[in-house]
Amino acid sequence: MCGIVGYIGPQDATPLILNGLQRLEYRGYDSAGIAVLQKGEIAIRRDVGKLNNLMQLVQQEPLNGRIGIGHTRWATHGQPSSRNAHPHISANGRTVVVHNGIVENFRALRDELEAEGVRFQSDTDTEVIVHLVQREISCGKNVTEATQAAVKLLRGAHAIVVLSADEPDRLVAVRIGNAGGVALGIGEGEMFIASDIPAILEHTRRMIFLESRQMATLTRDAYHIQTLDGEPVDAEVHTISWDPVSAARGEYRHFMQKEIQEQARSLTDTIRGRVDFQRGVVTLPDLTLTPDEAKRLKRIVTVACGTSAYSGLVGKFIIEEIARIPVEVDYGSEYRYRDPIIDEDCAVLAITQSGETVDTLAAMEEARDKGAKLWSIVNAVGSQAMRVSDGFVTMQAGPEIGVASTKAFTTSIADQYLIALYLAQQRGLLTPDGPDMCAHIDDLAHLPDLVGTVLGREQAIEDLAAELYQYTNFLYLGRGINYPIALEGALKLKEISYIHAEGYPAGEMKHGPIALIDEHMPVLAICLRDAVYDKMLSQVEQAKSRGGIVIAVATDGDTRIAEKADHVIYVPDCPPLLSPIVSVIPLQMLAYHIAVWRGADVDQPRNLAKSVTVE
Ligand code: F6R
């Protein structure tokens, strides 16, 4: 939450930082601000609301400098307002700071600084940081030493960037804990800092990711990384393979629409390279799992939040059926609030698009402390989740910018399918090139085509959205492996259109929720021709007989459902274990178009941010 950008180099820093902030706006959009060093003085522009307001302000009052920092805010302490917007500046106007995180002891630090005569200009916790750094500078420390001393006084998790007018040739960045990433971009005679890769991807692919309790001092040509205790760090430089074009919205109206439409391609990228179609083998070297360990494995515990947790629920069906290993799925935000039972024959699998979700990271830590093998499925290469794992599988979804997760959901399910095949292969349940393995691989090979077919039907979904967008409550029903899709469909609708929607296991309807159904309640039922088809059909009948408006997601050619439901969304026939990847797509598109019809801000829904780095 909150996006940070920093630049030092020969270019005009302002457009570069604003452009970077634009790509990070999904991390928070309560306010935005920028500071550059202009003729030896720090010049700041800040405004409440979306980045556009700041951009207009900068147009009216231009800035000019070669070094600067910017911030887009998701408010924690202090109302969204321009006085609470970052960057925050010291009383003498010489030091400026942007920050992502929460200063847990800010009250005590503020009292201490106020007792020393410091006058605060905002209600934020962040402002204490700039005064603490300035206090150290005033005692004769350079900006690196001053930052190092100041941040040691902070409790909580933080990502911080400091610029001092007294040392106009450097930026200092710090990471403590899991408040969000700090990526350092290494250019030719220029350096970049960003909370997330897409902000600086068009300038460089060479990046370093700070670990917790590390800090970096950047000049135009060099970087120096050390721990907070002053030990030099020889950090690994990653080369990011993401395509900068895929981080741009292009012709699409919203990132969400673009990302929905990218799913055939992203699934191809996820499968490609992991499946040897000739030899009928799945290879996942980054999982670092020996055949012996695979045989010993007794249980998998998946930890994740939100959409990623629903992906885990789908994965449970897939892994249990293919690899015959029991899987439990738990919310990252709940996992550590009990005493989870873990042993060394248990693997904990974290699923996280951003790799930064603080609750998921905390669950991972808990599992690690209890001796579990730690795996992750991540999209953001180099993220914290990936770095702390013993093994990982990347989603290969490319940058996901829309706040509502779409392609990360489907690619992470595909990853779990690959993990299931890999485990089954290692445990001797599937023989490479054997008929069962070949059938699975064949199913995977056809998946992007099936997805492409559904994506081609967007117009029909848009038309349906026009009929439904004025309803204020929706019920989503699914059963078996498509029950998590009911949860995910409802989540997509509520988060971007602000319509109340509930996902429910269809069989539980008669135990309560059926009382909700009347002619004002659209009921979306996932009713594919699979093992639970007849059961779902009878749920549809029950909803109809109570006056509900039924929208069914059904298999191409199913005429029975057409007689019962008010609207049918058809999807191609697909293998049951892969059907959630296909059936979720019309639900993503429906949520998207309903939100557009309602005039909602699809890519930046209210109160939400893409990376949830606070508890
Ligand atoms: C919903 C959504 C969130 C995320 C959740 C976890 O559309 O995007 O529910 O899925 O915040 O995020 P990651 O996967 O980054 O850990």
Coordinates of all heavy atoms in Angstrom, one line a residue, residues 404-490:
A404 N -8.6 -5.3 -9.0 CA -9.2 -6.6 -8.9 C -8.4 -7.6 -9.6 O -8.1 -7.5 -10.8 CB -10.6 -6.5 -9.5
S405 N -8.0 -8.7 -8.9 CA -7.2 -9.7 -9.5 C -7.9 -10.6 -10.5 O -9.0 -11.1 -10.2 CB -6.6 -10.5 -8.3 OG -5.6 -11.4 -8.8
T406 N -7.4 -10.8 -11.6 CA -8.0 -11.7 -12.6 C -7.0 -12.7 -13.2 O -7.2 -13.9 -12.9 CB -8.6 -10.8 -13.8 OG1 -7.5 -10.0 -14.3 CG2 -9.7 -10.0 -13.4
K407 N -6.0 -12.2 -13.9 CA -5.1 -13.2 -14.6 C -4.3 -13.9 -13.5 O -3.8 -15.0 -13.8 CB -4.3 -12.6 -15.7 CG -3.5 -11.4 -15.3 CD -2.7 -10.8 -16.5 CE -1.9 -9.7 -16.1 NZ -0.9 -9.2 -17.1
A408 N -4.0 -13.3 -12.4 CA -3.2 -14.0 -11.4 C -4.0 -15.1 -10.8 O -3.5 -16.1 -10.4 CB -2.9 -13.0 -10.2
F409 N -5.4 -15.0 -10.8 CA -6.2 -16.0 -10.2 C -6.1 -17.3 -11.2 O -5.8 -18.4 -10.7 CB -7.7 -15.6 -10.2 CG -8.7 -16.6 -9.7 CD1 -8.6 -17.0 -8.3 CD2 -9.6 -17.2 -10.5 CE1 -9.5 -17.9 -7.9 CE2 -10.5 -18.1 -10.0 CZ -10.5 -18.5 -8.7
T410 N -6.3 -17.1 -12.4 CA -6.3 -18.3 -13.3 C -4.9 -18.9 -13.5 O -4.7 -20.1 -13.5 CB -6.9 -17.9 -14.7 OG1 -6.3 -16.7 -15.2 CG2 -8.4 -17.7 -14.6
T411 N -3.9 -18.0 -13.5 CA -2.5 -18.6 -13.7 C -2.1 -19.3 -12.4 O -1.4 -20.3 -12.5 CB -1.5 -17.5 -14.1 OG1 -1.6 -16.4 -13.2 CG2 -1.7 -17.0 -15.5
S412 N -2.5 -18.8 -11.3 CA -2.1 -19.5 -10.0 C -2.9 -20.9 -9.9 O -2.3 -21.8 -9.3 CB -2.3 -18.7 -8.8 OG -3.7 -18.3 -8.6
I413 N -4.1 -21.0 -10.5 CA -4.7 -22.3 -10.5 C -3.9 -23.2 -11.4 O -3.7 -24.4 -11.1 CB -6.2 -22.2 -10.9 CG1 -7.0 -21.4 -9.9 CG2 -6.8 -23.6 -11.1 CD1 -8.4 -21.1 -10.3
A414 N -3.5 -22.7 -12.6 CA -2.7 -23.5 -13.5 C -1.4 -24.0 -12.8 O -1.0 -25.1 -13.0 CB -2.4 -22.7 -14.8
D415 N -0.8 -23.1 -12.1 CA 0.4 -23.5 -11.3 C 0.1 -24.6 -10.4 O 0.9 -25.5 -10.2 CB 0.9 -22.3 -10.5 CG 1.9 -21.4 -11.4 OD1 2.4 -21.9 -12.4 OD2 2.1 -20.3 -11.0
Q416 N -1.0 -24.6 -9.7 CA -1.3 -25.6 -8.8 C -1.6 -27.0 -9.5 O -1.3 -28.0 -9.0 CB -2.5 -25.3 -7.9 CG -2.2 -24.2 -6.9 CD -3.4 -23.6 -6.2 OE1 -3.8 -24.2 -5.2 NE2 -4.0 -22.6 -6.7
Y417 N -2.1 -26.8 -10.7 CA -2.3 -28.0 -11.5 C -0.9 -28.6 -11.9 O -0.7 -29.9 -11.8 CB -3.1 -27.7 -12.8 CG -3.7 -28.8 -13.5 CD1 -5.1 -29.1 -13.3 CD2 -3.0 -29.6 -14.4 CE1 -5.7 -30.1 -14.0 CE2 -3.7 -30.7 -15.1 CZ -5.0 -30.9 -14.8 OH -5.6 -32.0 -15.5
L418 N 0.0 -27.7 -12.2 CA 1.4 -28.2 -12.5 C 2.0 -28.8 -11.3 O 2.7 -29.9 -11.4 CB 2.2 -27.1 -13.0 CG 1.8 -26.5 -14.4 CD1 2.6 -25.2 -14.7 CD2 2.1 -27.5 -15.5
I419 N 1.8 -28.2 -10.2 CA 2.4 -28.8 -8.9 C 1.8 -30.1 -8.6 O 2.5 -31.1 -8.3 CB 2.1 -27.8 -7.7 CG1 3.0 -26.6 -7.9 CG2 2.4 -28.5 -6.4 CD1 2.8 -25.5 -6.8
A420 N 0.5 -30.3 -8.9 CA -0.2 -31.6 -8.6 C 0.4 -32.6 -9.5 O 0.7 -33.8 -9.1 CB -1.7 -31.4 -8.9
L421 N 0.6 -32.3 -10.8 CA 1.2 -33.3 -11.7 C 2.6 -33.6 -11.4 O 3.0 -34.8 -11.4 CB 1.2 -32.7 -13.2 CG -0.2 -32.5 -13.8 CD1 0.0 -32.0 -15.2 CD2 -1.0 -33.8 -13.9
Y422 N 3.3 -32.6 -11.0 CA 4.7 -32.8 -10.6 C 4.8 -33.7 -9.4 O 5.7 -34.7 -9.3 CB 5.4 -31.4 -10.3 CG 6.8 -31.5 -10.1 CD1 7.7 -31.8 -11.1 CD2 7.3 -31.2 -8.8 CE1 9.1 -31.8 -10.8 CE2 8.7 -31.2 -8.6 CZ 9.6 -31.5 -9.6 OH 10.9 -31.6 -9.3
L423 N 4.0 -33.5 -8.4 CA 4.0 -34.3 -7.2 C 3.6 -35.7 -7.5 O 4.2 -36.7 -7.0 CB 3.0 -33.7 -6.1 CG 3.5 -32.4 -5.4 CD1 2.3 -31.9 -4.6 CD2 4.7 -32.7 -4.6
A424 N 2.6 -35.9 -8.3 CA 2.1 -37.2 -8.7 C 3.2 -38.0 -9.4 O 3.4 -39.2 -9.2 CB 0.9 -37.1 -9.6
Q425 N 3.9 -37.2 -10.3 CA 5.1 -37.8 -11.0 C 6.2 -38.3 -10.1 O 6.7 -39.4 -10.1 CB 5.6 -36.7 -11.9 CG 6.5 -37.0 -13.0 CD 6.8 -35.7 -13.7 OE1 6.0 -35.2 -14.5 NE2 7.9 -35.1 -13.5
Q426 N 6.5 -37.4 -9.1 CA 7.6 -37.7 -8.2 C 7.2 -38.8 -7.2 O 8.0 -39.6 -6.7 CB 7.9 -36.5 -7.3 CG 8.4 -35.3 -8.1 CD 9.8 -35.4 -8.6 OE1 10.1 -36.3 -9.4 NE2 10.6 -34.5 -8.2
R427 N 5.9 -38.9 -6.9 CA 5.4 -40.0 -6.0 C 5.1 -41.3 -6.7 O 4.6 -42.2 -6.1 CB 4.2 -39.5 -5.2 CG 4.5 -38.4 -4.2 CD 3.3 -37.6 -3.9 NE 2.4 -38.3 -2.9 CZ 2.5 -38.2 -1.6 NH1 3.4 -37.5 -1.1 NH2 1.6 -38.8 -0.9
G428 N 5.3 -41.3 -8.0 CA 5.1 -42.5 -8.8 C 3.6 -42.8 -9.1 O 3.2 -43.9 -9.5
L429 N 2.7 -41.8 -8.9 CA 1.3 -42.0 -9.3 C 1.0 -41.8 -10.7 O 0.1 -42.3 -11.3 CB 0.4 -41.0 -8.5 CG 0.5 -41.2 -6.9 CD1 -0.3 -40.0 -6.3 CD2 -0.1 -42.5 -6.5
L430 N 1.9 -41.0 -11.3 CA 1.8 -40.7 -12.8 C 3.1 -41.0 -13.4 O 4.1 -40.6 -12.9 CB 1.4 -39.3 -13.1 CG 0.0 -38.8 -12.8 CD1 -0.2 -37.3 -13.0 CD2 -1.0 -39.6 -13.7
T431 N 3.1 -41.8 -14.5 CA 4.3 -42.2 -15.1 C 4.6 -41.2 -16.3 O 3.6 -41.0 -17.1 CB 4.2 -43.6 -15.8 OG1 3.5 -44.4 -14.9 CG2 5.6 -44.2 -16.1
P432 N 5.8 -40.6 -16.4 CA 6.0 -39.8 -17.5 C 5.7 -40.5 -18.8 O 6.0 -41.7 -19.0 CB 7.5 -39.5 -17.4 CG 7.9 -39.7 -15.9 CD 6.9 -40.7 -15.4
D433 N 5.0 -39.8 -19.6 CA 4.6 -40.3 -20.9 C 3.6 -41.4 -20.9 O 3.2 -42.0 -21.9 CB 5.8 -40.8 -21.7 CG 5.6 -40.6 -23.2 OD1 4.8 -39.8 -23.6 OD2 6.3 -41.3 -24.0
G434 N 3.1 -41.7 -19.6 CA 2.0 -42.7 -19.5 C 0.7 -42.1 -20.0 O 0.6 -40.9 -20.1
P435 N -0.3 -43.0 -20.2 CA -1.6 -42.4 -20.7 C -2.3 -41.4 -19.9 O -2.8 -40.4 -20.4 CB -2.5 -43.7 -20.9 CG -1.8 -44.8 -20.1 CD -0.3 -44.4 -20.0
D436 N -2.2 -41.6 -18.5 CA -2.9 -40.6 -17.7 C -2.2 -39.3 -17.7 O -2.8 -38.2 -17.8 CB -2.9 -41.1 -16.2 CG -3.9 -42.3 -16.1 OD1 -4.7 -42.5 -17.0 OD2 -3.7 -43.1 -15.1
M437 N -0.8 -39.3 -17.6 CA -0.1 -38.1 -17.7 C -0.3 -37.4 -19.0 O -0.5 -36.2 -19.1 CB 1.4 -38.4 -17.5 CG 2.3 -37.2 -17.4 SD 1.8 -36.3 -15.9 CE 3.4 -35.6 -15.5
C438 N -0.3 -38.2 -20.1 CA -0.5 -37.6 -21.4 C -1.9 -36.9 -21.5 O -2.1 -35.9 -22.1 CB -0.4 -38.6 -22.5 SG 1.3 -39.1 -22.7
A439 N -2.9 -37.6 -20.9 CA -4.3 -37.0 -20.9 C -4.3 -35.6 -20.2 O -4.8 -34.6 -20.7 CB -5.3 -37.9 -20.3
H440 N -3.6 -35.6 -19.0 CA -3.5 -34.3 -18.3 C -2.8 -33.2 -19.1 O -3.2 -32.1 -19.2 CB -2.8 -34.5 -17.0 CG -3.6 -35.2 -15.9 ND1 -4.7 -34.6 -15.3 CD2 -3.4 -36.3 -15.2 CE1 -5.2 -35.4 -14.4 NE2 -4.4 -36.5 -14.3
I441 N -1.7 -33.6 -19.7 CA -0.9 -32.7 -20.5 C -1.7 -32.2 -21.7 O -1.7 -31.0 -22.0 CB 0.5 -33.3 -20.8 CG1 1.3 -33.4 -19.6 CG2 1.2 -32.5 -21.9 CD1 2.7 -34.0 -19.7
D442 N -2.4 -33.1 -22.3 CA -3.3 -32.7 -23.4 C -4.3 -31.7 -22.9 O -4.6 -30.7 -23.6 CB -4.0 -34.0 -23.9 CG -4.3 -33.8 -25.3 OD1 -3.5 -33.3 -26.1 OD2 -5.5 -34.2 -25.7
D443 N -4.9 -31.9 -21.8 CA -5.9 -31.0 -21.2 C -5.3 -29.6 -21.1 O -5.9 -28.6 -21.4 CB -6.5 -31.5 -19.9 CG -7.4 -32.7 -20.0 OD1 -7.8 -33.0 -21.2 OD2 -7.7 -33.3 -19.0
L444 N -4.1 -29.6 -20.5 CA -3.4 -28.3 -20.3 C -3.1 -27.6 -21.6 O -3.3 -26.4 -21.7 CB -2.1 -28.5 -19.6 CG -2.1 -28.6 -18.0 CD1 -0.7 -28.9 -17.5 CD2 -2.6 -27.2 -17.5
A445 N -2.7 -28.4 -22.6 CA -2.4 -27.8 -23.9 C -3.6 -27.1 -24.5 O -3.4 -26.2 -25.2 CB -1.8 -28.9 -24.8
H446 N -4.8 -27.7 -24.3 CA -6.0 -27.1 -24.9 C -6.6 -26.0 -24.1 O -7.5 -25.3 -24.6 CB -7.0 -28.2 -25.1 CG -6.7 -29.1 -26.2 ND1 -6.1 -30.3 -26.0 CD2 -6.7 -28.9 -27.6 CE1 -5.8 -30.9 -27.2 NE2 -6.2 -30.1 -28.2
L447 N -6.1 -25.8 -22.9 CA -6.7 -24.8 -22.0 C -6.7 -23.4 -22.6 O -7.8 -22.7 -22.6 CB -6.0 -24.9 -20.6 CG -6.5 -23.9 -19.6 CD1 -8.0 -24.2 -19.2 CD2 -5.6 -23.9 -18.3
P448 N -5.6 -22.9 -23.1 CA -5.6 -21.5 -23.6 C -6.7 -21.3 -24.7 O -7.3 -20.3 -24.8 CB -4.2 -21.3 -24.1 CG -3.4 -22.2 -23.3 CD -4.2 -23.4 -23.1
D449 N -6.9 -22.4 -25.5 CA -7.9 -22.3 -26.6 C -9.3 -22.1 -26.0 O -10.1 -21.3 -26.5 CB -7.9 -23.6 -27.4 CG -7.1 -23.5 -28.6 OD1 -6.5 -22.4 -28.8 OD2 -7.0 -24.4 -29.4
L450 N -9.6 -22.9 -25.0 CA -10.9 -22.9 -24.4 C -11.1 -21.5 -23.8 O -12.2 -20.9 -23.9 CB -11.0 -23.9 -23.2 CG -10.9 -25.4 -23.7 CD1 -11.0 -26.3 -22.4 CD2 -12.1 -25.7 -24.6
V451 N -10.1 -21.0 -23.1 CA -10.1 -19.6 -22.5 C -10.3 -18.6 -23.6 O -11.2 -17.7 -23.4 CB -8.9 -19.4 -21.6 CG1 -8.8 -17.9 -21.2 CG2 -8.9 -20.3 -20.4
G452 N -9.6 -18.7 -24.7 CA -9.7 -17.8 -25.8 C -11.2 -17.8 -26.3 O -11.7 -16.7 -26.6
T453 N -11.8 -18.9 -26.4 CA -13.2 -19.0 -26.8 C -14.1 -18.2 -25.9 O -15.0 -17.4 -26.4 CB -13.7 -20.5 -26.9 OG1 -12.8 -21.2 -27.7 CG2 -15.1 -20.6 -27.4
V454 N -14.0 -18.3 -24.6 CA -14.8 -17.6 -23.7 C -14.5 -16.1 -23.8 O -15.5 -15.3 -23.8 CB -14.6 -18.0 -22.2 CG1 -15.6 -17.4 -21.3 CG2 -14.7 -19.5 -22.1
L455 N -13.3 -15.7 -23.9 CA -12.9 -14.3 -24.0 C -13.5 -13.7 -25.3 O -13.9 -12.5 -25.2 CB -11.4 -14.2 -24.1 CG -10.7 -14.5 -22.8 CD1 -9.1 -14.5 -23.0 CD2 -11.0 -13.6 -21.6
G456 N -13.7 -14.5 -26.3 CA -14.3 -14.0 -27.5 C -15.8 -13.7 -27.4 O -16.4 -13.1 -28.3
R457 N -16.4 -14.0 -26.2 CA -17.8 -13.8 -26.0 C -18.2 -12.6 -25.1 O -19.2 -12.6 -24.5 CB -18.5 -15.1 -25.5 CG -18.3 -16.3 -26.4 CD -18.8 -17.6 -25.8 NE -18.6 -18.7 -26.7 CZ -18.9 -20.0 -26.4 NH1 -19.4 -20.3 -25.2 NH2 -18.7 -20.9 -27.3
E458 N -17.2 -11.7 -25.1 CA -17.4 -10.6 -24.1 C -18.6 -9.7 -24.4 O -19.3 -9.3 -23.5 CB -16.1 -9.7 -24.2 CG -16.2 -8.6 -23.1 CD -14.9 -7.8 -22.9 OE1 -13.9 -8.2 -23.5 OE2 -14.9 -6.9 -22.1
Q459 N -18.9 -9.6 -25.7 CA -20.1 -8.7 -26.1 C -21.4 -9.2 -25.4 O -22.2 -8.4 -24.9 CB -20.2 -8.7 -27.6 CG -21.3 -7.7 -28.1 CD -21.0 -6.2 -27.6 OE1 -20.0 -5.7 -27.8 NE2 -22.0 -5.6 -26.9
A460 N -21.6 -10.6 -25.5 CA -22.8 -11.1 -24.9 C -22.9 -10.8 -23.4 O -23.9 -10.5 -22.8 CB -22.8 -12.6 -25.1
I461 N -21.7 -10.8 -22.7 CA -21.7 -10.5 -21.3 C -22.0 -9.1 -21.0 O -22.7 -8.7 -20.1 CB -20.3 -10.9 -20.7 CG1 -19.9 -12.3 -21.1 CG2 -20.3 -10.7 -19.2 CD1 -20.4 -13.4 -20.2
E462 N -21.4 -8.2 -21.9 CA -21.7 -6.8 -21.8 C -23.2 -6.5 -21.9 O -23.8 -5.7 -21.1 CB -20.9 -6.0 -22.8 CG -21.0 -4.5 -22.6 CD -20.1 -3.7 -23.6 OE1 -19.3 -4.3 -24.3 OE2 -20.3 -2.5 -23.6
D463 N -23.8 -7.2 -22.8 CA -25.3 -7.0 -23.0 C -26.0 -7.5 -21.8 O -27.0 -6.8 -21.3 CB -25.8 -7.8 -24.2 CG -25.2 -7.3 -25.5 OD1 -24.6 -6.1 -25.5 OD2 -25.2 -8.0 -26.5
L464 N -25.6 -8.6 -21.2 CA -26.3 -9.1 -20.0 C -26.1 -8.1 -18.8 O -27.0 -7.9 -18.1 CB -25.7 -10.5 -19.7 CG -26.2 -11.2 -18.4 CD1 -27.7 -11.4 -18.6 CD2 -25.5 -12.5 -18.2
A465 N -24.9 -7.6 -18.8 CA -24.6 -6.6 -17.7 C -25.6 -5.4 -17.8 O -26.0 -4.9 -16.7 CB -23.2 -6.1 -17.8
A466 N -25.9 -5.0 -19.0 CA -26.8 -3.9 -19.1 C -28.2 -4.2 -18.5 O -28.9 -3.4 -18.1 CB -27.0 -3.6 -20.6
E467 N -28.6 -5.5 -18.5 CA -29.9 -5.9 -17.9 C -29.8 -6.0 -16.4 O -30.8 -6.0 -15.7 CB -30.3 -7.2 -18.5 CG -30.6 -7.1 -20.0 CD -31.4 -8.4 -20.5 OE1 -32.3 -8.9 -19.8 OE2 -31.0 -8.8 -21.6
L468 N -28.6 -6.2 -15.9 CA -28.5 -6.6 -14.5 C -27.9 -5.5 -13.6 O -28.0 -5.6 -12.4 CB -27.6 -7.8 -14.3 CG -28.1 -9.1 -15.0 CD1 -27.0 -10.2 -14.9 CD2 -29.4 -9.6 -14.3
Y469 N -27.4 -4.5 -14.2 CA -26.5 -3.6 -13.3 C -27.3 -2.8 -12.3 O -26.7 -2.3 -11.3 CB -25.7 -2.6 -14.2 CG -26.4 -1.5 -14.8 CD1 -26.4 -0.2 -14.2 CD2 -27.2 -1.6 -15.9 CE1 -27.0 0.9 -14.7 CE2 -27.9 -0.5 -16.5 CZ -27.8 0.7 -15.8 OH -28.5 1.8 -16.4
Q470 N -28.6 -2.7 -12.4 CA -29.3 -1.9 -11.4 C -29.7 -2.7 -10.1 O -30.2 -2.2 -9.1 CB -30.5 -1.3 -12.0 CG -30.1 -0.1 -12.8 CD -31.2 0.5 -13.7 OE1 -31.9 -0.3 -14.3 NE2 -31.2 1.8 -13.8
Y471 N -29.5 -4.0 -10.1 CA -29.9 -4.8 -8.9 C -28.9 -4.5 -7.8 O -27.7 -4.2 -8.1 CB -29.9 -6.3 -9.3 CG -31.1 -6.7 -10.1 CD1 -31.0 -6.8 -11.5 CD2 -32.3 -6.9 -9.5 CE1 -32.1 -7.2 -12.2 CE2 -33.4 -7.3 -10.3 CZ -33.3 -7.4 -11.6 OH -34.4 -7.7 -12.4
T472 N -29.3 -4.7 -6.6 CA -28.4 -4.3 -5.5 C -27.9 -5.5 -4.7 O -27.1 -5.3 -3.8 CB -29.1 -3.3 -4.6 OG1 -30.3 -3.8 -4.2 CG2 -29.2 -1.9 -5.3
N473 N -28.4 -6.6 -5.0 CA -27.9 -7.9 -4.3 C -27.8 -9.0 -5.3 O -28.7 -9.1 -6.1 CB -28.9 -8.3 -3.2 CG -29.0 -7.3 -2.1 OD1 -28.1 -7.2 -1.3 ND2 -30.1 -6.5 -2.0
F474 N -26.8 -9.8 -5.1 CA -26.6 -10.9 -6.0 C -26.2 -12.1 -5.1 O -25.5 -12.0 -4.1 CB -25.5 -10.7 -7.0 CG -25.9 -10.0 -8.2 CD1 -26.1 -8.6 -8.2 CD2 -25.9 -10.6 -9.5 CE1 -26.5 -7.9 -9.3 CE2 -26.2 -9.9 -10.6 CZ -26.5 -8.5 -10.5
L475 N -26.7 -13.3 -5.6 CA -26.2 -14.5 -4.9 C -25.5 -15.4 -6.0 O -26.0 -15.5 -7.1 CB -27.5 -15.3 -4.4 CG -27.3 -16.3 -3.3 CD1 -26.6 -15.8 -2.1 CD2 -28.7 -16.8 -2.9
Y476 N -24.3 -15.9 -5.6 CA -23.5 -16.7 -6.5 C -23.5 -18.1 -5.9 O -23.1 -18.3 -4.8 CB -22.1 -16.2 -6.7 CG -22.0 -15.0 -7.6 CD1 -22.5 -13.8 -7.2 CD2 -21.2 -15.1 -8.8 CE1 -22.4 -12.7 -8.0 CE2 -21.1 -14.0 -9.6 CZ -21.7 -12.8 -9.2 OH -21.5 -11.7 -10.0
L477 N -23.9 -19.1 -6.7 CA -23.9 -20.5 -6.2 C -23.0 -21.4 -7.1 O -23.0 -21.3 -8.3 CB -25.3 -21.1 -6.3 CG -26.4 -20.3 -5.5 CD1 -27.8 -21.0 -5.8 CD2 -26.1 -20.2 -4.1
G478 N -22.3 -22.3 -6.4 CA -21.5 -23.3 -7.1 C -21.4 -24.5 -6.2 O -21.7 -24.5 -5.0
R479 N -20.9 -25.5 -6.8 CA -20.7 -26.8 -6.0 C -19.5 -27.5 -6.4 O -19.0 -27.3 -7.6 CB -22.0 -27.7 -6.3 CG -22.2 -28.7 -5.3 CD -23.6 -29.2 -5.3 NE -23.7 -30.0 -4.1 CZ -24.9 -30.3 -3.5 NH1 -26.0 -30.0 -4.1 NH2 -24.9 -31.1 -2.4
G480 N -18.9 -28.2 -5.5 CA -17.6 -29.0 -5.9 C -16.6 -28.0 -6.2 O -16.4 -26.9 -5.6
I481 N -15.8 -28.3 -7.2 CA -14.7 -27.5 -7.6 C -15.1 -26.1 -8.1 O -14.3 -25.1 -8.1 CB -13.8 -28.2 -8.7 CG1 -12.4 -27.6 -8.7 CG2 -14.5 -28.2 -10.0 CD1 -11.4 -28.4 -9.5
N482 N -16.3 -25.9 -8.4 CA -16.8 -24.6 -8.8 C -17.4 -23.8 -7.7 O -17.9 -22.7 -7.9 CB -17.7 -24.7 -10.0 CG -16.9 -24.7 -11.3 OD1 -16.3 -23.8 -11.7 ND2 -16.9 -25.9 -11.9
Y483 N -17.4 -24.3 -6.5 CA -17.9 -23.5 -5.4 C -17.0 -22.3 -5.1 O -17.5 -21.2 -5.0 CB -18.1 -24.4 -4.1 CG -18.0 -23.7 -2.8 CD1 -18.9 -22.6 -2.6 CD2 -17.1 -24.0 -1.8 CE1 -18.8 -21.8 -1.4 CE2 -17.0 -23.3 -0.7 CZ -17.9 -22.2 -0.5 OH -17.8 -21.5 0.7
P484 N -15.6 -22.5 -5.1 CA -14.8 -21.3 -5.0 C -15.0 -20.3 -6.1 O -14.7 -19.1 -5.8 CB -13.3 -21.9 -5.0 CG -13.5 -23.4 -4.7 CD -14.8 -23.8 -5.2
I485 N -15.5 -20.7 -7.2 CA -15.7 -19.8 -8.3 C -16.9 -18.9 -8.0 O -17.0 -17.7 -8.3 CB -15.9 -20.5 -9.7 CG1 -14.6 -21.3 -10.0 CG2 -16.2 -19.5 -10.8 CD1 -13.3 -20.5 -9.9
A486 N -17.9 -19.5 -7.2 CA -19.0 -18.6 -6.7 C -18.5 -17.6 -5.8 O -18.9 -16.4 -5.8 CB -20.0 -19.5 -6.1
L487 N -17.5 -18.0 -4.9 CA -16.9 -17.0 -4.0 C -16.2 -15.9 -4.8 O -16.3 -14.7 -4.5 CB -16.0 -17.7 -3.0 CG -16.6 -18.8 -2.1 CD1 -15.5 -19.5 -1.3 CD2 -17.6 -18.2 -1.2
E488 N -15.4 -16.3 -5.7 CA -14.6 -15.4 -6.5 C -15.5 -14.5 -7.4 O -15.2 -13.3 -7.5 CB -13.6 -16.2 -7.4 CG -12.8 -15.3 -8.3 CD -11.9 -14.3 -7.7 OE1 -11.9 -14.2 -6.4 OE2 -11.3 -13.5 -8.4
G489 N -16.5 -15.0 -8.0 CA -17.4 -14.2 -8.8 C -18.1 -13.1 -7.9 O -18.2 -12.0 -8.3
A490 N -18.5 -13.5 -6.7 CA -19.2 -12.5 -5.8 C -18.2 -11.5 -5.4 O -18.5 -10.3 -5.3 CB -19.8 -13.3 -4.6

